[in-house]
Amino acid sequence: MAKFVYLFKEGRADMKALLGGKGANLAEMTNIGLPVPPGMTITTEACTEYYRLDRKLPEGVMAEVQRNLTVIEEQAGKKFGDLSNPLLVSVRSGAMFSMPGMMDTILNLGLNEATVQSVAKNTNNLRFAYDAYRRFIQMFSDVVLEIPKYEFEDILHNQKDKQGVKYDQELSPESLRKIIDEYKKLVLSRTGNPFPENPLEQLEMSIEAVFRSWNNDRAIIYRNLNKIDHDLGTAVNIQSMVFGNMGNDSGTGVAFTRNPSTGENVLYGEFLTNAQGEDVVAGIRTPRPIAQLQEEMPEVYNEFVRIARLLESHYKNMQDIEFTIERGRLYILQTRNGKRTAQASVRVAFELAQEGLITKEQAILLVDPGQLDQLLHRQIDSSIEVSVLAKGLPASPGAASGQVVFDADEAERLGKTGKKVLLVRTETTPDDIHGIVAAQGILTSRGGMTSHAAVVARGMGKPCVCGCEAIRIDYVKEEFTIGATVIKKGELVSIDGATGRVIQGQVPMKDPEISAEYTTLLQWADEIKRLAVRANADTPEDAKKAREFGATGIGLVRTEHMFMGQDRLPFVQKMILAETLEMRQEALAHLLPMQEGDFYGILQVMEGFPVTIRLLDPPLHEFLPSVEELLVETTELRITARDAALLEEKLQLLKKVRSLHEFNPMLGHRGCRLGITFPEVYEMQMQAIFNATARLTKEGCKVLPEVEIPLTIDVNEMKFFKKKIDAIAESTMKAFAIRFHYSVGSMIEMPRACVMAGELAEVCDFLSFGTNDLTQTTFGFSRDDAEGKFLPHYLESKILKENPFIAIDRKGVGALMEMAVERGRKIKPAIEIGICGEHGGEPSSVAFCHKIGLNYVSCSPYRVPIARLAAAQAAISEGEIIGTR
Amino acid sequence: MAKFVYLFKEGRADMKALLGGKGANLAEMTNIGLPVPPGMTITTEACTEYYRLDRKLPEGVMAEVQRNLTVIEEQAGKKFGDLSNPLLVSVRSGAMFSMPGMMDTILNLGLNEATVQSVAKNTNNLRFAYDAYRRFIQMFSDVVLEIPKYEFEDILHNQKDKQGVKYDQELSPESLRKIIDEYKKLVLSRTGNPFPENPLEQLEMSIEAVFRSWNNDRAIIYRNLNKIDHDLGTAVNIQSMVFGNMGNDSGTGVAFTRNPSTGENVLYGEFLTNAQGEDVVAGIRTPRPIAQLQEEMPEVYNEFVRIARLLESHYKNMQDIEFTIERGRLYILQTRNGKRTAQASVRVAFELAQEGLITKEQAILLVDPGQLDQLLHRQIDSSIEVSVLAKGLPASPGAASGQVVFDADEAERLGKTGKKVLLVRTETTPDDIHGIVAAQGILTSRGGMTSHAAVVARGMGKPCVCGCEAIRIDYVKEEFTIGATVIKKGELVSIDGATGRVIQGQVPMKDPEISAEYTTLLQWADEIKRLAVRANADTPEDAKKAREFGATGIGLVRTEHMFMGQDRLPFVQKMILAETLEMRQEALAHLLPMQEGDFYGILQVMEGFPVTIRLLDPPLHEFLPSVEELLVETTELRITARDAALLEEKLQLLKKVRSLHEFNPMLGHRGCRLGITFPEVYEMQMQAIFNATARLTKEGCKVLPEVEIPLTIDVNEMKFFKKKIDAIAESTMKAFAIRFHYSVGSMIEMPRACVMAGELAEVCDFLSFGTNDLTQTTFGFSRDDAEGKFLPHYLESKILKENPFIAIDRKGVGALMEMAVERGRKIKPAIEIGICGEHGGEPSSVAFCHKIGLNYVSCSPYRVPIARLAAAQAAISEGEIIGTR
């Protein structure tokens, strides 16, 4: 016959399948020598057997339970049902996989009319004993007898009303006694039987109830959602209760092994003497700092310090410990890895390694890369209550406060006078760039995570909240409304770009702090990681920031951002509107020196590191006014008949804009398709890159430009451009009488490019995944449309587990990426392959990029530290790195 | 030493690599016993050897040439350089792969001052002899001596001017003599040497020139473009010239073995006595029908008839033969498969098989499936000259004439009075459906091959020309302009939907004729093909047509087309604008019986055959007015302040339309994403399908509905819908107290669906490729945008060899399809996989679908015959079918 019951000390951490997660954990704690209240676990096999027997407890289970109970009684120095020192137990379910809320816990099992009096005597607290009894009856009735909870709550409320009290703890022992009597009457009337007095009967009924709960509706739904096998069954944990309210030599408390806010290596927590956990929660008495326990109960304190150390060195992490002291004896009820701030996370990891408790690799694994973001941007002081007006999309992290302005020119003007402004627009366009530069942050009512405002703000590391549909902007009145609230121009508003919150008024903020621990930890990460981490940067300033954050290259320079500057836009528009090649070339001739200057600046900053420069990517109409704008203008002009000449001019422009109109611009005339139909634009950019390269080379600066062709779908495109690039590079080298290095590559953004990666590799020195567009086309999801309309439904209903624009969709997009890497490397094993864009700074995506063997990831400068840490974690988790103390 | 020279009779058809295509062909003709003028071929090996020796003729080549020349002289009864009967030869290049225009031919080689007189005497035509000499000098000088052609043309023109004549053939012998003298002077001054008189020297120089031409610029570019190996080299063909102008027992002509217009089995062609081929081309004398040759030269005629039969049975195809008669002796100069009309093509193939010359399989391979289209639509009579105003996209084949109208209502009104109208719109919308039904054809100035007008017209088999950007429509003036031409409402215009031509006035048309041969040939195809051919149909009428054309199922019912009807649109709009679930359900309740009726009709027509019904696919805003329309209306109303209430209403509508606006509708809230966010719409459609199924089943009609979910990207979507479908089917069966069959499947239109096909197969009974959207997303090409903007550049510059929206892109999209088939079949080997949409009716795509193992293709009814034939050809080409006489 199988063994159905294990004492905690008989179990092991690796017996989760048999003992459940909780049971295995209790066994682990017991075995490392912690003073855990003794107990036993009934196995999951007993549960499956219970169902095999059509819901009957297998023979022998209760006998085993009783045998083990004797051991527990001995250890606890109490006896089940004993009148002088009764053993009370808790009964909890615990499956292999955590299933929160599957079944409620039953506490204080073993109480009856007799034992309750003993508890009252031992704790010298009748009120406590009755309250415990009342709670036990209520829990047992709910879970085991299946009498609805509210019927008990009704009785409780009635009694409180009668007594004129508000809180449970204000009830007198007499009132509680009345409640117990009414509870028992209710049980009798509902079940036809009196409430069970026999502790063993209580226990057997509870065990069966736990097994039954495995197949309640909540549990089945939970398992379906989380794909947990319905046949696993649950274990049952029976553990002796301990009481912190048995006098002044008893108590209860919670403590972290280190300060969870700063990470400082001191015990951090609080305790109450002669109290149970509920008392702390109820807030009637104020707990005292853990340090004072040393004076009060020095032996217990020293024991606790010893255990805290023991736990840290066992779990190799800062612990959050719940404990109870019963008559001078310390019990550990629970320990888990403690939640901590980003700052504490870094410091704890660093110091644990310094102390020799963990390896550098383990230290790196201790920090959540996503948290690092907090350290790099200003934050709203979380200790302060704020009035949240609305929530938009968290488009660019960091917090900002400023006077509301609705116009980019005004933002720039006020900014120059030293005012802090917040630019509020329906959407932003390239025309607003100077306003964005001048503003503290940007708030828009439309557009998604890849809208103009979002992309530009992230690039600048500037806070931005996008697509906040609750706000209605009235440009004429110069105000916006949120429901009934009206915010006028000049009023102060704050935004939190990490959460999407829009907050009325100015809010206190914390500046980012970069600690020495942080710097060292990231150095360790750099030593360990295999992926290089580059940054996306469009200006020398961005590039400087990227280097500060530890980027070892630029993975994406978006040249179009340079086209959006106020000094360039007129020429860009001229180029687009040009009717002849000559007119276009004239406009381009103006842009050439500007672009050359841009590239010169970035390449210079990145001396010694590769810089991937992507040629013009967006559709041309992005540089012109919108059809809508022009339609309204021309209709006005037509009806008012004010200015015939202006109308004609606007109509001409409308015609051009219309001719550039696209049904699906994302899949339209953009990327290298522009370079094929208007080769002179790309030629200008190539020339600008090589002029800058030649000048810097002459000046003794070692630069490594990588010319990237966006949106390629066929090797013939690459051949077309490669020929031009080589020719222009060659002629530039001749003109400058110098040689320089450069490479040429393809941006892999379309599924076809993944399929054709082998052929592309023949011509390319590098491939770079643009996973945003690749996700859009692989799914057929336009990000701007999906995130506002149907993607939330997909996530809520779990059709998709994760937003594929945040974490790489490994099954779909990831499979195409793997195919591309495999095909590319087959043709050219040494080809350099990277990823640029949003996913490049997201930890699970970085891990995936590591797994499929990319050479680098590239992300916005502010996410470089996150990527460095995530890359190191990926390398460690892969088991490539052997930990060293 | 290698053998460098082969007489024609020494070669074989399979020696293309050695003798080149032309040489092998001449050998073949010689060996089957045709009277081919004798000649020899210098091998491609001699050419590669020539380059190996750094452009020197290998030793022995000229000796071999001379030896073979003796044999040729004997056969021809002439001698090279002979003064009484000189042998003249042609020299031509001929590589393994045809390279048109690589090198010009040299004719009449062997002429010099002496032999030209002999030719004059023998032909009794000094003018002819001098003209031949003049031409020879010019060709030789161009090709061999590399003196620019125009310098000779200048001399010729000067002489014509001097003589006051317009055409070459008006020049007198004296003038030609002068030209020859000037040509020779030119050669002397350019080369420093006199024009070579020695025929053998002429020959050797020509051979070297042919070898040199292998590496001229034109040839290199052509080989690069067509991926032909640069090392193959070219052969040289030297063939004796024959003359049809040596008296009345000589002549020349061209004949088809059957009538190329009707296919009738009679010789069809013409001849001229005492003439050369040039005379026919020059058009001075009128050639006579080939039948008259029987009276004139009965023996030659009988010989020609014998040869025609011989050629047909050898090449197993109708031949187009060039011949010359020299002094009563027939020579065959060239034979090739004759070009023919669609009608002839079918008849010739059928009759060749009936005559036992070819197998049924060979007959099927003889017909170009693409041509069949011509037989099914009215055609513009090609014998008539038409005035083409402009060209648009050939969106739906067939020709139509009618009075121009600009409004759908007017089209319907006039149509009811029996008028033939042509509906001209910028674009069409669902609101125009009744006008499209009433019109003979549709012409639009915007929109691509998948625009509303194009899709609807193809579905109806109605001619349509789309995206004709040259026309400017003025709805107010009720006219359109093309350049300076103005077409007013009511004027007659014709369109040719097969070519995109827009033609002024009414044009004579031919009705389609379905012959018995056609029907039989397609029956043969059905016996042979492995792919089933279904049709796309949205109405019972379409379905009837589909069956007439031989479809064995409906592969795609687009349910949204039913939403566009005038009687449904108001309810559809109500459903979309509904603010509450109740309002939406009320609107849907109106639509349910209508949809049920639609499905009832189609399923009934298709008794016994599967019908795939796709649930709602397009984005909802397609059923509402456009933002642009509303913007103009509201701006007008605002400024004129005419009607405040109407303005408010329009503003509300604008708000809703705006909220539905999408940046990239193709990748937006459509397909099953609608079914997930508004499940009640899909539920109504499911109910309508099963109500119709239940009613028909009860009536004893065997129906096979297949419910198709569009735009799936994940198996969880399918699980979500499958559950609903099964539940509704089950409850309907209960309600009708009957059982019926149905299946559930997924439309594979997104790259991710291809990757996930294995998981999808777990839940699906069938998968159906939507290759139009799959092509759009795999390439990242929005078809509507690409075809007007950059795709033409891609095709012209050969970056893409073919338009991927016309023929499946095998390397990219095809690779994803193969992956999907493989993954789907691995999980569920019996899963049914098909394709619907444009590609399903395109022959090379059908062949690809056969190759990757699909079960069926589905296309518009009019393309069903094409698909049937193409499917049979694919099966035959695969070698599965063994031909039987």
Side-chain angles (χ1 to χ4, degrees), chain B residues 437-745:
Chain B
V437 169
Q440 301 297 306
I442 299 95
L443 169 61
T444 71
S445 60
R446 289 181 59 192
M449 299 287 288
T450 48
S451 62
H452 177 260
V455 172
V456 171
R458 276 197 297 273
M460 295 182 184
K462 200 161 280 234
C464 175
V465 172
C466 270
C468 183
E469 302 203 345
I471 75 170
R472 294 266 164 260
I473 301 172
D474 189 328
Y475 287 126
V476 180
K477 292 194 191 158
E478 299 197 301
E479 64 180 35
F480 72 84
T481 53
I482 300 180
T485 312
V486 181
I487 305 284
K488 298 230 157 255
K489 186 177 82 171
E491 285 188 42
L492 284 167
V493 163
S494 304
I495 57 170
D496 181 351
T499 61
R501 287 180 302 169
V502 179
I503 298 157
Q504 191 156 21
Q506 187 149 17
V507 182
M509 309 227 181
K510 289 189 306 191
D511 274 328
E513 287 166 38
I514 301 298
S515 63
E517 293 93 346
Y518 168 92
T519 309
T520 310
L521 200 74
L522 281 173
Q523 277 166 2
W524 294 348
D526 287 343
E527 291 162 16
I528 289 163
K529 72 185 168 56
R530 197 177 66 203
L531 277 173
V533 177
R534 301 192 190 179
N536 303 341
D538 305 335
T539 62
E541 294 69 41
D542 285 353
K544 273 193 202 102
K545 197 158 286 161
R547 289 199 65 167
E548 282 165 28
F549 282 127
T552 54
I554 301 296
L556 178 63
V557 178
R558 295 179 205 83
T559 55
E560 60 270 19
H561 284 188
M562 301 161 181
F563 278 33
M564 290 171 175
Q566 284 291 295
D567 50 338
R568 287 102 189 266
L569 203 54
F571 295 109
V572 174
Q573 294 185 341
K574 254 185 207 158
M575 172 193 82
I576 296 168
L577 299 172
E579 297 285 336
T580 65
L581 181 61
E582 290 67 38
M583 286 165 73
R584 187 173 310 125
Q585 280 170 335
E586 199 195 303
L588 286 168
H590 278 99
L591 290 168
L592 175 62
M594 297 177 181
Q595 283 259 290
E596 185 181 324
D598 298 326
F599 298 144
Y600 183 94
I602 294 174
L603 287 166
Q604 190 177 39
V605 170
M606 296 306 296
E607 176 166 12
F609 291 118
V611 176
T612 309
I613 301 173
R614 179 178 72 183
L615 303 188
L616 192 66
D617 184 51
L620 296 180
H621 56 70
E622 285 200 5
F623 301 100
L624 298 179
S626 75
V627 168
E628 294 208 3
E629 222 168 276
L630 289 166
L631 263 184
V632 171
E633 280 182 2
T634 52
T635 307
E636 274 179 10
L637 284 165
R638 181 165 53 77
I639 293 189
T640 57
R642 245 193 305 119
D643 186 338
L646 186 61
L647 173 60
E648 188 46 39
E649 188 186 308
K650 293 277 178 186
L651 281 172
Q652 282 304 316
L653 187 58
L654 177 59
K655 208 170 128 187
K656 181 76 188 180
V657 172
R658 262 198 204 287
S659 81
L660 290 174
H661 167 78
E662 293 185 309
F663 298 100
N664 300 288
M666 151 72 202
L667 307 178
H669 196 180
R670 51 175 285 239
C672 71
R673 299 161 196 177
L674 290 172
I676 281 169
T677 52
F678 305 111
E680 52 283 1
V681 179
Y682 268 31
E683 282 159 14
M684 178 279 283
Q685 295 197 302
M686 295 170 191
Q687 189 62 65
I689 292 170
F690 291 130
N691 281 355
T693 301
R695 280 167 54 200
L696 284 161
T697 307
K698 255 207 143 100
E699 290 159 19
C701 179
K702 187 169 183 290
V703 295
L704 300 166
E706 304 186 327
V707 185
E708 183 176 52
I709 305 298
L711 222 66
T712 43
I713 50 106
D714 196 278
V715 68
N716 287 334
E717 293 168 327
M718 279 313 297
K719 285 182 179 163
F720 177 86
F721 293 115
K722 172 94 163 102
K723 211 164 145 185
K724 281 180 191 291
I725 292 167
D726 288 346
I728 293 177
E730 196 55 43
S731 71
T732 311
M733 290 194 239
K734 270 195 194 130
F736 282 82
I738 207 160
R739 305 297 298 173
F740 53 73
H741 277 282
Y742 65 95
S743 60
V744 179

Side-chain angles (χ1 to χ4, degrees), chain A residues 584-764:
Chain A
R584 187 170 312 123
Q585 279 169 336
E586 199 196 305
L588 286 168
H590 278 99
L591 291 168
L592 175 61
M594 297 176 180
Q595 283 258 288
E596 186 181 323
D598 298 327
F599 299 144
Y600 183 94
I602 295 174
L603 287 166
Q604 190 178 38
V605 171
M606 296 306 295
E607 177 168 11
F609 292 119
V611 176
T612 308
I613 301 172
R614 178 176 72 183
L615 303 188
L616 192 66
D617 183 51
L620 296 180
H621 55 70
E622 285 200 4
F623 301 99
L624 297 179
S626 76
V627 169
E628 294 207 2
E629 221 168 279
L630 288 167
L631 263 183
V632 171
E633 281 182 2
T634 52
T635 306
E636 276 178 9
L637 284 166
R638 182 164 52 76
I639 293 188
T640 57
R642 244 190 310 117
D643 186 339
L646 184 60
L647 173 59
E648 188 47 37
E649 188 187 308
K650 292 277 178 185
L651 282 172
Q652 281 305 315
L653 187 56
L654 177 59
K655 207 170 131 186
K656 181 74 189 183
V657 173
R658 263 199 201 290
S659 80
L660 289 174
H661 167 79
E662 293 185 309
F663 297 100
N664 299 289
M666 150 74 203
L667 307 178
H669 195 180
R670 50 174 287 239
C672 72
R673 298 159 196 176
L674 290 172
I676 282 168
T677 53
F678 305 110
E680 53 283 0
V681 179
Y682 269 31
E683 282 160 12
M684 179 278 282
Q685 294 196 301
M686 295 168 192
Q687 189 63 64
I689 292 170
F690 292 130
N691 281 355
T693 301
R695 279 168 53 201
L696 283 161
T697 307
K698 255 206 143 100
E699 291 161 16
C701 179
K702 188 169 184 288
V703 295
L704 299 165
E706 305 187 327
V707 185
E708 183 176 52
I709 305 298
L711 223 67
T712 42
I713 50 106
D714 197 278
V715 67
N716 286 335
E717 293 169 327
M718 279 311 298
K719 285 183 180 164
F720 177 85
F721 292 115
K722 172 93 163 104
K723 211 164 143 184
K724 280 181 193 293
I725 292 167
D726 289 345
I728 293 177
E730 196 54 44
S731 71
T732 312
M733 290 194 240
K734 270 197 194 131
F736 282 81
I738 207 159
R739 306 298 297 172
F740 53 74
H741 277 283
Y742 65 96
S743 62
V744 178
S746 181
M747 193 151 173
I748 307 293
E749 308 176 82
M750 298 289 132
R752 194 176 196 270
C754 293
V755 179
M756 308 299 278
E759 288 192 18
L760 287 169
E762 283 174 26
V763 186
C764 290

